[in-house]
């Protein structure tokens, strides 16, 4: 790392790109020991290219898995928002039915169990 005459670090564009990459890896859940291993490989040069590619492919797969899990969580949250909107409209949860395990399933309100009158129009 280069330092100026005052002793302050000066970062090149390459340094900033590398820091950004490390930040990306950390944000996607890569452990610090794995990041350290990647940095060491990068410093070792081209003989580690295939190993670095393998690291990125593994992290790519991990991110895809995370995204799939997050989508399932979002689907459940979306269902619960619809459920509680219906419960607020009905004035009670007792009037509301739906299947949280099937997030796109319709949510119904039993008018006989309503506490609040049905909105017209």
């Amino acid at each position: 790392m280069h330092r100026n005459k005052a002793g302050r670090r000066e970062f090149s564009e390459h340094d900033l790109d590398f820091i950004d990459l490390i930040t990306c890896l950390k944000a996607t859940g890569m452990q610090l020991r794995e990041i350290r291993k990647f940095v060491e490989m990068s410093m070792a040069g081209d003989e580690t290219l295939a190993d670095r590619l393998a690291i990125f492919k593994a992290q790519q797969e991990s991110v895809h898995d995370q995204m799939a899990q997050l989508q399932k969580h979002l689907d459940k949250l979306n269902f619960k928002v619809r459920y509680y909107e219906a419960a607020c409209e009905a004035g009670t949860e007792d009037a509301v039915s739906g299947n949280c395990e099937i997030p796109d399933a319709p949510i119904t309100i039993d008018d006989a169990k309503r506490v609040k009158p049905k909105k017209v129009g």
Side-chain angles (χ1 to χ4, degrees):
M1 183 113 5
H2 177 73
R3 292 186 183 264
N4 65 17
K5 291 179 183 179
R8 292 190 183 107
R9 293 181 182 135
E10 289 185 341
F11 296 97
S12 68
E13 195 65 36
H14 179 268
D15 294 332
L16 294 175
D17 288 343
F18 201 71
I19 291 168
D20 186 53
L21 176 58
I22 290 169
T23 302
C24 170
L25 295 173
K26 180 66 179 150
T28 60
M30 185 179 279
Q31 298 295 312
L32 288 177
R33 65 178 146 59
E34 294 170 304
I35 294 172
R36 189 176 304 114
K37 181 178 175 183
F38 164 73
V39 170
E40 290 168 359
M41 285 182 195
S42 297
M43 296 172 105
D46 288 346
E47 64 268 10
T48 64
L49 285 172
D51 293 330
R52 286 184 274 162
L53 174 59
I55 286 172
F56 278 96
K57 284 185 174 183
Q59 193 62 17
Q60 183 182 46
E61 185 64 31
S62 174
V63 170
H64 281 292
D65 293 346
Q66 291 173 47
M67 290 172 62
Q69 187 61 45
L70 283 172
Q71 186 61 55
K72 288 179 184 178
H73 293 323
L74 181 58
D75 291 345
K76 187 167 280 201
L77 291 170
N78 288 340
F79 174 86
K80 287 299 189 180
V81 166
R82 291 186 305 118
Y83 175 89
Y84 283 107
E85 285 174 344
C88 287
E89 179 187 327
T92 180
E93 281 188 77
D94 290 339
V96 180
S97 63
N99 186 344
C100 186
E101 298 306 315
I102 307 171
D104 292 332
I107 294 174
T108 58
I109 298 174
D110 181 344
D111 287 331
K113 294 181 180 177
R114 280 181 178 274
V115 174
K116 291 182 177 177
K118 188 174 183 177
K119 292 181 183 176
V120 179

